[in-house]
Amino acid sequence: MDNGPIHILDFVDRHGKIEKSFYTLPVSELPADTQVFGGRKPIWVLTTKETVSGGEGMAYDLQAFNRSGAVIGEGDTTAGVGNPITHRQFICEEIFGKGWWLVAVPSVRVLHAVTGTNWDGIGVVSDVVAGRGEWERVSDALEVGRRLAKLALQNEELQGEL
């Protein structure tokens, strides 16, 4: 995504109070040798039913900002696990020793800046499902991604010839 900062999402507590907000960095704050792609390069996100939490968040963000060419799934959706944990506590240290038992209960929900909602309980919906439609004979999301990338490169070459 170009320039920045761009508001991506908030962590909101049970009372509706924003606990933390997340933004992209402005280009000026990136390391000097960073290669910025902006909105020019095609991106495809490969997912499965086992894609959870942060992986889902990345797919959801790119999809919501219309930055991905497609979310390519091996099913209709990802797992739907959008329950961030901001506070955790080790317990029973006097019995088991330090760091053995960790309690981590989700206490916030994700509120996406574009959609006003999140993927928890729903999953990230695949734009392209491997093994269905025009991809009926290709059941592997990675192979679908490879073929889409090849088509994009061919189209880019054709655009350059015009």
Side-chain angles (χ1 to χ4, degrees):
M1 295 185 280
D2 288 324
N3 301 320
I6 296 171
H7 183 212
I8 299 173
L9 57 85
D10 297 315
F11 282 177
V12 180
D13 71 13
R14 288 179 176 87
H15 306 290
K17 180 181 171 223
I18 296 173
E19 220 176 84
K20 188 171 184 171
S21 295
F22 296 86
Y23 294 82
T24 61
L25 285 175
V27 173
S28 61
E29 290 183 26
L30 296 174
D33 61 345
T34 300
Q35 196 173 23
V36 179
F37 293 107
R40 299 183 315 266
K41 298 285 183 185
I43 297 173
W44 292 276
V45 182
L46 307 179
T47 64
T48 69
K49 285 270 188 208
E50 287 81 37
T51 303
V52 298
S53 198
E56 287 179 292
M58 176 62 96
Y60 192 87
D61 294 340
L62 292 170
Q63 191 178 56
F65 283 106
N66 293 315
R67 184 56 191 92
S68 64
V71 172
I72 304 165
E74 291 183 347
D76 293 322
T77 65
T78 58
V81 183
N83 47 8
I85 297 167
T86 57
H87 306 290
R88 62 176 206 244
Q89 182 175 351
F90 286 100
I91 61 170
C92 301
E93 290 184 334
E94 65 281 352
I95 298 170
F96 297 106
K98 287 197 175 282
W100 280 96
W101 289 89
L102 176 68
V103 173
V105 178
S107 59
V108 295
R109 65 184 171 87
V110 173
L111 185 64
H112 198 275
V114 172
T115 66
T117 187
N118 66 48
W119 60 94
D120 190 39
I122 300 164
V124 179
V125 178
S126 301
D127 298 313
V128 175
V129 178
R132 290 202 201 137
E134 67 181 285
W135 300 103
E136 185 175 356
R137 293 192 171 109
V138 185
S139 60
D140 178 43
L142 180 57
E143 183 57 30
V144 173
R146 281 187 186 120
R147 292 181 187 190
L148 285 172
K150 187 175 179 181
L151 287 171
L153 288 171
Q154 289 170 345
N155 288 338
E156 191 175 288
E157 287 172 9
L158 288 174
Q159 294 289 336
E161 292 174 8
L162 298 177

